Amino acid sequence: MKETFFRTLSWLHTWAGLLVCWVLLLIFFAGSLSYFRHEISLWNEPELHKGVYQSYQADTLEEQLDSGQRYIETHSPTTAQRWMINFPTERKPFLGFSWQLPPEKGQRRGKVEEHVALADGSGMISAVRASRGGDFFYRLHFDLHYMSAITARYIVGICTMFMLIALISGIVIHKRIFKDMFSFRRDKGARSWLDAHNVSSVIALPYHLMITYTGLITLMLIYIPWTVDTAYPGDNQAFLKELNPARQTEKAAGISAPQVQLSQLLPQVKTAWGDAPIKQVIVSYPKDQNSQVTFYQNTGKEVTDEANILIFNGVNGELKYASPHEASGASATYDTMMSLHTARFAAPLLRILFFFCGLLGCAMVATGTLMWAIRLRQKQQKTIDKGEKPSLGLRLVEGLNFMFILGLPLGAVNFFYANRLLSTSFAGRSAWEVHSFFIALAAMGVWAFFGRSRRQWQTALILTGSLCCALPVLNAFTSPSHFIDNIQSHQWALVGFDVLAVLLGGAMLFASKKLTLIAKAAPAKRAPNVTNAKADKTRRSEPKTSLANELTSPSALEEVKP
């Protein structure tokens, strides 16, 4: 405990954020891109770009089900454990056919092979390149990578809890929270970074609180499993079956049986759901005596993550289970929080707002880490001026800042370039798309090891910004349609991707130019004023206090909070 409650919370706010800041930056960055998960996946499959938006509901449900079942029965292996038919939507305007193979030794799930039919009335089946697409960023922001999912989720949960502590303590210590939302002092060194930190925090404060708290709620059963153990002592499977009946299927009997025609089940589906749209149909253990068919309702425009399902016997078509019309209060609350976190219900403009708030979250974390590095360097500036090396802690903080702040956008750009430049016949291309992201991130870490000067920041920003601005050109040369074509055919997801790439790339090029102007202005600021030499001599004779000391003094803390 510090000498006052205010200073105690200031200390808590600082360290709660700084100890996990780089992991939080990764989570915010990947989570922000996840709002355009389906749009990124579509961009990563250029084979689908031509004419895919002409009419995504051209065929009736009966025709789509029949064509899907016919195609899967013809092309899938007899060992397939599941058939999946995904219906067209506004964000995924094509009919998807896929099947899941049995898991290989040491794996929990089998490989999924996907095929796509363009929903423009042609019935053409397109072979698309293997790509993780937007699913990579979606999984990255809570499963990380190169580690087990359970380990990653514990790490993410701990970092999220630290984030929540930092937010609450920041609100308590921030007495001028509304005034500082409109305060930004340019070219003031660490104080400018502090203003940027305050502005990015306060403008999106409701979003930061919502996304952090709901992030903890989404994985609460991992962090607090005792509630399940109390309600279902020694029988977790009973809980899982009640939570999600669709996943608790009977095992394959190994006895062959005719598969029911999926379109014949539609009258029962319409009786239960009316004209509500269908999102997906899954056939578990096809052509087996224990086969079952699950229909999923498309609830994408509702503020809920609840899965409304109907389960039928896959042999005789008998209805086995239907989701209850009235969910419990706890279930409805949980589903609403899940939906708020994922924004699956959001219209395009609302997703853009969520994306912008996510970028402000990245800015909040990044400015906090930069401010910390500046304050550390100011404390050591006297010893550095004498020729001594900066401390290991300072070098580590500056290196990690350089690696993550610049490496994450470069890694994302590298991911998109790998998607278009790797051969479509390359067996491991989807894995190497992911590897390319981390290779770029690691490359920035190696670069930071050799130096982290302003010139290197400027060079890295120019490199990343130029590559980002060139993404529409890359798309034009590697896709059957370009920017103008996409506008004429109203493929707004692809248009938005190109526009956003140019805007973000332009922002990075602007930041690099700003660094150049700062570098040119620095010598002029340091030049002595001959006419005021006497006054300058008097000032030099007075005790010196660094900006870091000013920011951490009790009087300054009452005005400007770190």
Side-chain angles (χ1 to χ4, degrees):
M1 293 290 290
K2 300 294 182 179
E3 56 271 20
T4 65
F5 177 74
F6 176 80
R7 288 185 65 85
T8 299
L9 284 187
S10 297
W11 174 89
L12 179 63
H13 175 75
T14 300
W15 287 103
L18 294 177
L19 289 177
V20 296
C21 54
W22 297 288
V23 180
L24 286 175
L25 187 59
L26 171 64
I27 294 171
F28 263 107
F29 180 80
S32 299
L33 293 180
S34 298
Y35 290 127
F36 300 107
R37 171 186 178 185
H38 299 306
E39 289 76 10
I40 291 174
S41 295
L42 180 61
W43 191 91
N44 278 25
E45 296 171 342
E47 295 82 4
L48 304 178
H49 290 185
K50 196 66 176 177
V52 75
Y53 277 81
Q54 292 177 4
S55 176
Y56 66 84
Q57 290 286 8
D59 300 332
T60 64
L61 287 175
E62 290 83 356
E63 292 173 330
Q64 292 174 348
L65 276 175
D66 287 340
S67 62
Q69 184 172 0
R70 186 167 52 250
Y71 181 85
I72 294 175
E73 285 181 337
T74 304
H75 295 86
S76 67
T78 56
T79 57
Q81 290 187 334
R82 292 202 303 172
W83 297 347
M84 290 159 281
I85 300 176
N86 295 296
F87 291 96
T89 63
E90 292 180 356
R91 297 184 66 190
K92 297 178 67 176
F94 43 80
L95 187 63
F97 309 142
S98 57
W99 51 82
Q100 186 175 32
L101 302 177
E104 298 179 359
K105 187 177 181 180
Q107 294 183 345
R108 294 180 56 191
R109 297 180 181 177
K111 180 182 178 182
V112 175
E113 295 186 5
E114 298 183 1
H115 300 260
V116 171
L118 297 185
D120 59 359
S122 65
M124 180 181 68
I125 308 300
S126 301
V128 299
R129 64 188 64 195
S131 174
R132 292 284 301 278
D135 290 340
F136 163 64
F137 296 104
Y138 172 71
R139 305 294 301 190
L140 177 65
H141 101 279
F142 63 92
D143 274 355
L144 305 181
H145 205 69
Y146 302 123
M147 65 178 67
S148 67
I150 189 66
T151 302
R153 294 181 186 191
Y154 274 116
I155 293 173
V156 170
I158 293 171
C159 295
T160 306
M161 181 58 72
F162 272 67
M163 174 71 180
L164 187 60
I165 293 172
L167 285 173
I168 295 173
S169 58
I171 293 172
V172 174
I173 67 175
H174 211 127
K175 296 179 180 178
R176 303 190 311 176
I177 188 169
F178 294 108
K179 183 177 180 180
D180 284 347
M181 184 169 64
F182 304 99
S183 299
F184 181 73
R185 289 156 286 192
R186 299 173 54 189
D187 304 325
K188 298 295 182 180
R191 198 173 290 272
S192 296
W193 287 113
L194 182 60
D195 286 345
H197 181 69
N198 289 336
V199 169
S200 58
S201 303
V202 175
I203 287 179
L205 182 59
Y207 170 85
H208 296 329
L209 289 170
M210 180 275 294
I211 208 70
T212 304
Y213 181 71
T214 56
L216 285 172
I217 293 298
T218 58
L219 301 174
M220 65 180 181
L221 294 181
I222 295 178
Y223 311 135
I224 311 176
W226 308 288
T227 54
V228 177
D229 295 337
T230 301
Y232 301 85
D235 192 4
N236 287 342
Q237 290 302 316
F239 167 74
L240 294 175
K241 185 174 182 179
E242 185 175 341
L243 181 68
N244 191 349
R247 293 186 180 179
Q248 306 304 310
T249 61
E250 298 179 12
K251 293 184 179 180
I255 302 174
S256 179
Q259 185 67 46
V260 67
Q261 191 70 19
L262 299 180
S263 58
Q264 295 177 2
L265 303 176
L266 286 176
Q268 297 185 64
V269 175
K270 189 170 184 179
T271 301
W273 290 344
D275 294 328
I278 301 173
K279 176 182 179 181
Q280 184 184 50
V281 176
I282 295 179
V283 180
S284 302
Y285 305 118
K287 297 185 178 181
D288 186 87
Q289 186 174 336
N290 288 342
S291 172
Q292 73 176 28
V293 180
T294 306
F295 281 74
Y296 288 82
Q297 187 181 119
N298 186 354
T299 59
K301 294 185 178 181
E302 299 178 12
V303 188
T304 179
D305 204 58
E306 181 183 5
N308 292 334
I309 62 174
L310 296 173
I311 302 178
F312 298 90
N313 185 295
V315 177
N316 57 31
E318 179 187 356
L319 180 63
K320 298 173 59 177
Y321 174 83
S323 297
H325 294 290
E326 294 294 334
S328 66
S331 178
T333 301
Y334 176 79
D335 290 333
T336 301
M337 288 190 177
M338 282 283 292
S339 185
L340 283 171
H341 189 82
T342 58
R344 290 173 184 163
F345 67 94
L349 288 178
L350 184 56
R351 282 202 309 277
I352 292 173
L353 177 61
F354 272 46
F355 175 75
F356 176 71
C357 291
L359 292 185
L360 286 177
C362 294
M364 173 183 65
V365 177
T367 52
T369 61
L370 289 169
M371 187 168 57
W372 188 24
I374 291 172
R375 290 169 60 180
L376 284 177
R377 178 165 285 276
Q378 287 174 340
K379 291 179 180 180
Q380 301 179 28
Q381 194 60 51
K382 290 184 179 180
T383 58
I384 293 174
D385 291 341
K386 294 178 181 178
E388 297 183 16
K389 290 185 177 181
S391 67
L392 176 62
L394 175 58
R395 284 178 286 164
L396 181 63
V397 170
E398 290 183 339
L400 289 172
N401 283 349
F402 189 89
M403 176 181 177
F404 280 89
I405 295 175
L406 298 176
L408 288 174
L410 180 62
V413 172
N414 208 34
F415 174 84
F416 295 125
Y417 273 85
N419 169 261
R420 296 303 178 87
L421 300 181
L422 289 175
S423 172
T424 55
S425 60
F426 180 35
R429 70 178 319 281
S430 61
W432 276 100
E433 282 181 5
V434 175
H435 295 331
S436 67
F437 174 89
F438 291 100
I439 289 172
L441 186 63
M444 298 305 288
V446 173
W447 191 354
F449 178 80
F450 292 100
R452 304 159 301 278
S453 65
R454 181 180 287 134
R455 182 178 295 275
Q456 287 171 306
W457 275 81
Q458 180 185 359
T459 303
L461 285 169
I462 292 174
L463 171 65
T464 307
S466 300
L467 290 174
C468 200
C469 288
L471 279 175
V473 180
L474 175 70
N475 180 58
F477 280 103
T478 58
S479 168
S481 61
H482 52 74
F483 184 76
I484 303 300
D485 289 337
N486 294 333
I487 293 178
Q488 293 175 345
S489 58
H490 305 290
Q491 301 192 61
W492 301 119
L494 301 177
V495 172
F497 186 101
D498 289 347
V499 170
L500 186 60
V502 172
L503 289 176
L504 294 179
M508 284 182 274
L509 293 176
F510 174 79
S512 67
K513 185 176 181 180
K514 185 67 176 177
L515 286 178
T516 304
L517 296 176
I518 293 174
K520 291 180 179 179
K525 289 183 178 181
R526 289 194 298 266
N529 189 340
V530 178
T531 58
N532 294 328
K534 184 175 181 181
D536 185 59
K537 182 177 179 181
T538 304
R539 283 195 298 270
R540 287 199 301 268
S541 64
E542 296 174 352
K544 295 181 179 179
T545 57
S546 67
L547 181 56
N549 291 332
E550 291 179 12
L551 291 175
T552 54
S553 65
S555 59
L557 284 170
E558 293 296 331
E559 295 184 358
V560 185
K561 284 75 182 177

